[in-house]
Amino acid sequence: MRLDWADVWRVPGHIEITAGKSKTRQRRLVEICAALRSWLEPYRAHKTGKFWPGKERTFLEDYGELCAKAEIARKTNGLRHAFCTYHFAAHANENQTAQQAGNSPAMIHAHYKGLATKVEAGKWFKVKPSKSGKNVIRLPAASRKQ
């Protein structure tokens, strides 16, 4: 909810989480993997402005509708938990995962160890939009009512 498009493009290959936007008040760089790059590329023209232009309530409602359309269970912070689970499985390094997630290594080790295999992680980090775009639900335009 705090990200700006400038945070996405400012540091090549990374999303910058500034100290002012981080819950821990520490700047960190989150690596943009190949799959994420594919998802972000259609939004290259967005140089500034809120990543999500609406209110948190609108985001949660829209996210709930998206999950319903995709016929998947909606979980609070589900994407964050999935990222931590699969990143830790892929790299087997709680320090690296903690740095990317803005968490402590102890928290990563305690909550994400053994939840996924390296093969499952590889599949998760390869999910890209289809060439047809038929399976993609686009982010709202920046001019969306708030």
Side-chain angles (χ1 to χ4, degrees), residues 30-98:
V30 178
E31 187 177 342
I32 296 176
C33 67
L36 180 54
R37 190 174 301 107
S38 296
W39 287 102
L40 291 172
E41 196 56 41
Y43 303 96
R44 179 61 76 176
H46 294 266
K47 300 295 183 194
T48 61
K50 288 285 207 181
F51 190 84
W52 179 261
K55 296 180 189 273
E56 183 175 4
R57 179 179 176 171
T58 308
F59 172 81
L60 294 173
E61 289 170 357
D62 288 357
Y63 182 60
E65 288 175 22
L66 173 64
C67 289
K69 286 179 186 177
E71 298 179 358
I72 57 173
R74 179 179 169 259
K75 299 192 186 234
T76 303
N77 293 320
L79 291 174
R80 177 181 172 77
H81 291 307
F83 171 81
C84 292
T85 297
Y86 293 119
H87 192 277
F88 187 48
H91 302 286
N93 183 331
E94 61 264 20
N95 292 311
Q96 185 180 14
T97 301

Side-chain angles (χ1 to χ4, degrees), residues 74-127:
R74 179 179 169 259
K75 299 192 186 234
T76 303
N77 293 320
L79 291 174
R80 177 181 172 77
H81 291 307
F83 171 81
C84 292
T85 297
Y86 293 119
H87 192 277
F88 187 48
H91 302 286
N93 183 331
E94 61 264 20
N95 292 311
Q96 185 180 14
T97 301
Q99 186 280 326
Q100 293 284 296
N103 219 324
S104 72
M107 182 68 73
I108 298 297
H109 190 79
H111 294 278
Y112 299 106
K113 182 181 180 184
L115 298 182
T117 67
K118 193 169 190 154
V119 170
E120 291 168 330
K123 290 177 183 178
W124 196 84
F125 279 106
K126 287 183 182 174
V127 173

